[in-house]
Amino acid sequence: MFLINCPYCGERDQQEFKAGGEAHIERPKQPTELSDDEWAEYLFMRKNIKGVQFERWNHAHGCRKWFNMVRDTSNDEIKAIYKMGEKPPTQ
Amino acid sequence: MRNKYSIFSLFKNALSYHENWQRAWKDPAPKKEYDAVIIGGGGHGLATAYYLAKKHNMQNIAVVEKGWIGGGNTGRNTTIIRSNYLWDASAGLYDHALKIWEGLSQELNYNVMFSQRGVMNLAHNLQDVRDLKRRTHANRLNGIDAVYLNTEEVKKFCPIINTSQDIRYPVLGGTLQRRAGTARHDAVAWGYARGADEMGVDIIQNCEVKAIKRIGDTVEGIETTKGFIKTKKIGVVAAGHSSVVANMAGLKLPLESKPLQALVSEPVKPIIDTVVMSNAVHAYVSQSDKGELVIGAGTDDYISYSQKGSHQIVEGTLNAILELYPIFSRMRMLRQWGGIVDICPDASPIISKTSIKGLYFNCGWGTGGFKATPGSGDLFAYTIANDEPHKLNAAFNLNRFVSGDLVDEHGAAAVAH
């Protein structure tokens, strides 16, 4: 359990939020040309990193907006939060 | 067996104040090379080693464990065993395990305290009723014992359940699998460890895997905190950390690791002599032989390896428990903990070869792997020894995420992921 600093609403309790999984998985541009392996990669395969991970969150019981988060999954420490469409922080 | 446990050995050791029991397994240093190495010394990993040695004549093998055996999810689960899954493939897999459970204490000469006290799954709305009836029929067609109970029969089977129709989610019925029950989780790991050790398997504790070495697409060995170990076959049974080991080999798996919580109460006199699970309100409870209520909560929705879950998950479960069992309202909870479970998109496990020759994975058991421990070990041993799956685990291959032939068991996975 932790506090999340929503880029639109400020700091709120984590239970207001819904986790949306790994971030920056791009939907295939030409789905009709995708092989089964590529579909599996897009739909199911995940990095599931133990350490610093880029992920999506939604302020489900607040402003209902989506945003991105950089979080250390080994201790739940939040490193950075940035809006959808913004470039992920490099450091 | 070197040191057979019996009433006579108990009596003999009582004479020397139980100070001269032989140790149950050795503590060897790793050899330079093994025919196969199992990564992960939990119940599933130790069972795999046991059946490799026993049924496939592979005694030159090792189990490497980063902590101590049975110290991970084997020691953290709520010990429930059942096989009432919906699809044919799952029914085959879980009932195979249940059949081994029925003779396991005798086979291992180790009391795993398997208790067939029955598992009841409750229905709280009309869709639950339809789903559970369908599952009962599917189970019976697959030779798995299952009966559907109406509200009165539920009350008769477990009198402390509040079956009043005035509560928020009234009990409309339920299913009962009488062959299902519980077992002592630690004893399963210890029993398999003792049995495997007896046949020459090296159990190497406090030995963390750091890298998987390979030549081209074939495995060569593992780099560990106790040095390099050469081997041609690696079986990974690392539960919540499966993706971490897969990443060492350059593989990605369809898994997400999340915290799953459980809690136990102070010990009390016998009050509930079965296991009751409720998918809809997310509450399940049984009573341990020590008298503690064992309560399973849910998973958090975010990926985490922190072994800490959110408080509201526990609160939600306890709310549901109190509505169903008002008699527990003054119980005090003694301990609460979280474990990291590896969840597959279809809530079914993976027992499979991979694209790398000699590398096998047994993972994705998610929130319900304990019940399958003996069957999982048996089938994974077969897969490793023969380099092809047994017919019972053929459907649980990694390729199903490419072919689309998923085994969707979200409904039977007892508590919603």
Side-chain angles (χ1 to χ4, degrees), chain B residues 93-350:
Chain B
L93 178 69
Y94 290 101
D95 210 50
H96 177 61
L98 184 48
K99 282 179 188 138
I100 303 177
W101 276 114
E102 286 173 334
L104 194 61
S105 292
Q106 286 73 20
E107 182 184 343
L108 295 177
N109 177 232
Y110 203 103
N111 187 4
V112 299
M113 296 164 75
F114 180 53
S115 156
Q116 291 177 296
R117 59 184 70 182
V119 169
M120 193 156 66
N121 290 80
L122 300 181
H124 297 276
N125 54 53
L126 289 177
Q127 189 58 44
D128 277 358
V129 171
R130 284 189 284 265
D131 285 345
L132 288 182
K133 280 186 176 167
R134 178 191 178 199
R135 187 133 65 85
T136 308
H137 295 313
N139 288 159
R140 289 163 80 156
L141 286 170
N142 278 315
I144 294 169
D145 68 307
V147 284
Y148 187 83
L149 309 178
N150 62 29
T151 310
E152 291 72 43
E153 289 164 330
V154 166
K155 182 79 179 171
K156 199 171 166 218
F157 188 70
C158 184
I160 61 169
I161 295 182
N162 179 7
T163 50
S164 156
Q165 295 304 298
D166 296 335
I167 62 176
R168 178 67 183 84
Y169 298 104
V171 177
L172 301 185
T175 63
L176 174 62
Q177 184 182 18
R178 290 184 191 275
R179 284 165 64 231
T182 60
R184 171 82 198 279
H185 48 5
D186 298 316
V188 180
W190 298 336
Y192 273 122
R194 176 167 166 266
D197 178 88
E198 177 74 25
M199 291 182 284
V201 174
D202 279 356
I203 296 165
I204 304 159
Q205 303 183 71
N206 299 308
C207 179
E208 187 176 351
V209 176
K210 291 293 184 187
I212 291 177
K213 299 280 179 202
R214 55 177 172 145
I215 309 171
D217 272 343
T218 309
V219 296
E220 192 193 5
I222 54 171
E223 200 65 64
T224 74
T225 48
K226 291 190 175 179
F228 179 72
I229 302 172
K230 195 175 168 193
T231 185
K232 287 193 180 68
K233 291 185 176 206
I234 301 170
V236 185
V237 203
H241 282 69
S242 297
S243 295
V244 176
V245 181
N247 289 342
M248 292 176 190
L251 283 181
K252 252 161 115 181
L253 296 172
L255 299 176
E256 289 190 315
S257 295
K258 296 175 177 181
L260 175 66
Q261 297 181 83
L263 56 164
V264 297
S265 73
E266 59 189 334
V268 290
K269 287 186 176 177
I271 181 75
I272 178 165
D273 63 355
T274 184
V275 183
V276 185
M277 319 185 75
S278 170
N279 209 342
V281 299
H282 207 302
Y284 58 100
V285 64
S286 61
Q287 191 171 18
S288 74
D289 291 355
K290 278 189 287 183
E292 305 153 324
L293 296 180
V294 182
I295 295 170
T299 51
D300 276 290
D301 65 347
Y302 54 88
I303 292 169
S304 179
Y305 290 84
S306 68
Q307 295 185 337
K308 283 181 290 193
S310 302
H311 180 68
Q312 80 267 12
I313 300 280
V314 170
E315 199 177 17
T317 290
L318 289 179
N319 283 342
I321 290 280
L322 289 187
E323 187 170 72
L324 277 177
Y325 312 92
I327 195 174
F328 295 155
S329 64
R330 295 173 73 184
M331 291 285 284
R332 282 166 296 190
M333 290 298 140
L334 209 59
R335 284 175 287 131
Q336 167 271 337
W337 64 92
I340 302 305
V341 296
D342 45 332
I343 296 175
C344 251
D346 59 356
S348 284
I350 296 165

Side-chain angles (χ1 to χ4, degrees), chain A residues 57-79:
Chain A
W57 282 75
N58 179 243
H59 195 179
H61 300 289
C63 63
R64 301 181 69 195
K65 287 198 175 87
W66 284 90
F67 57 92
N68 291 308
M69 185 189 289
V70 187
R71 189 172 56 95
D72 189 334
T73 60
S74 63
N75 58 13
D76 293 337
E77 189 189 332
I78 298 170
K79 304 280 187 189

Side-chain angles (χ1 to χ4, degrees), chain A residues 1-2 13-22 35-41 43-51 53 55 57 71-76, chain B residues 66 240-241 243-244 247 252-258 300-312 315 342 345 398-404 406:
Chain A
M1 193 169 217
F2 35 86
D13 193 298
Q14 171 239 321
Q15 65 173 308
E16 291 184 15
F17 296 82
K18 175 99 184 110
E22 193 179 320
S35 68
D36 289 350
D37 280 311
E38 288 165 327
W39 268 121
E41 181 73 20
L43 285 173
F44 298 124
M45 301 302 164
R46 295 292 177 264
K47 289 180 190 156
N48 197 20
I49 292 168
K50 182 179 185 178
Q53 164 162 289
E55 53 195 23
W57 282 75
R71 189 172 56 95
D72 189 334
T73 60
S74 63
N75 58 13
D76 293 337
Chain B
K66 74 173 170 183
H241 282 69
S243 295
V244 176
N247 289 342
K252 252 161 115 181
L253 296 172
L255 299 176
E256 289 190 315
S257 295
K258 296 175 177 181
D300 276 290
D301 65 347
Y302 54 88
I303 292 169
S304 179
Y305 290 84
S306 68
Q307 295 185 337
K308 283 181 290 193
S310 302
H311 180 68
Q312 80 267 12
E315 199 177 17
D342 45 332
L398 202 43
N399 197 52
R400 72 179 189 264
F401 298 97
V402 177
S403 68
L406 302 178

